[in-house]
Amino acid sequence: MNKLLFLVAIIATLAACGQDSGSKGEAAKAESGADIKMIDLVTTQDGSPLKIDAKLFDTPAAKEFIATGKNPYIGVEAEILAGKKKFNLYSCVACHGGHGEGAVAPGLQGPNFKYAKNANNKGMFETIWHGTNGGMGAKGFGLMQADPPDGLTVDETLKVIAWIRSNSTVTGNE
Ligand code: HEC
């Protein structure tokens, strides 16, 4: 009987360990104190790790994005309109055109992109947040050359992407 209990205890311990090591990415403590799982982001410049403070994932949509790589604002009208405003405010419009059709900079409607990863919302987030080597400056919060620190928040970046996708057949969440 004792042997059986011992076995049960071992199995329970193993199961608990398996749960931890099976989770992808690192668990980070957000300011709220809640554990959030974070997928690995990489820069568009060279694919090196793109580290963003877990505290900046401060809305339900931002948390869902960093857990899954999906953008929950795709197709949501109110968020798309908010994204359109930021697209204008941050001068995306000047280089990419009013509907992302392209101007002095490439079009953003796809389905073909200069960087193939931009067909996906995780990839486009990385490009907008951290920029490229070919003339696209980082727009992520704190990365713009501005005093006081300026730039799109994570949540705003997701809205901007939702606006860009609303002009396109690409949804980027596949
Ligand atoms: C000063 C001009 C300029 C502004 C402002 C600008 N971009 Fe860009 N953007 C570029 C250029 C140039 C490229 C091409 C970069 C390259 O070839 O590496 C680019 C590339 C991109 C790409 C990748 C396109 C592809 O085909 O892979 C995305 C996405 C993008 N920009 C989004 C934005 C968003 C969103 C904003 C506003 C927050 C913005 N850009 C503001 C000039 C600009």
Side-chain angles (χ1 to χ4, degrees), residues 54-152:
K55 284 203 293 281
L56 296 184
F57 298 91
D58 57 355
T59 65
K63 286 188 171 68
E64 183 174 339
F65 170 72
I66 199 56
T68 65
K70 309 272 185 237
N71 182 348
Y73 291 150
I74 299 295
V76 184
E77 199 57 34
E79 314 297 358
I80 289 169
L81 288 177
K84 180 184 182 182
K85 283 189 186 156
K86 298 293 174 191
F87 192 82
N88 294 339
L89 184 68
Y90 282 90
S91 307
C92 318
V93 58
C95 296
H96 291 287
H99 291 81
E101 69 276 17
V104 294
L108 303 176
Q109 297 173 348
N112 299 314
F113 292 87
K114 170 151 187 195
Y115 302 94
K117 66 185 272 187
N118 291 316
N120 174 274
N121 291 328
K122 173 181 178 285
M124 189 174 274
F125 178 92
E126 293 164 343
T127 298
I128 297 171
W129 190 271
H130 203 258
T132 75
N133 286 326
M136 171 66 194
K139 299 287 184 286
F141 186 80
L143 298 182
M144 292 182 74
Q145 306 283 318
D147 186 21
D150 198 6
L152 291 166

Side-chain angles (χ1 to χ4, degrees), residues 13-25 27 37:
T13 311
L14 285 176
C17 289
Q19 270 168 11
D20 285 341
S21 59
S23 63
K24 208 174 162 258
K37 275 185 204 136

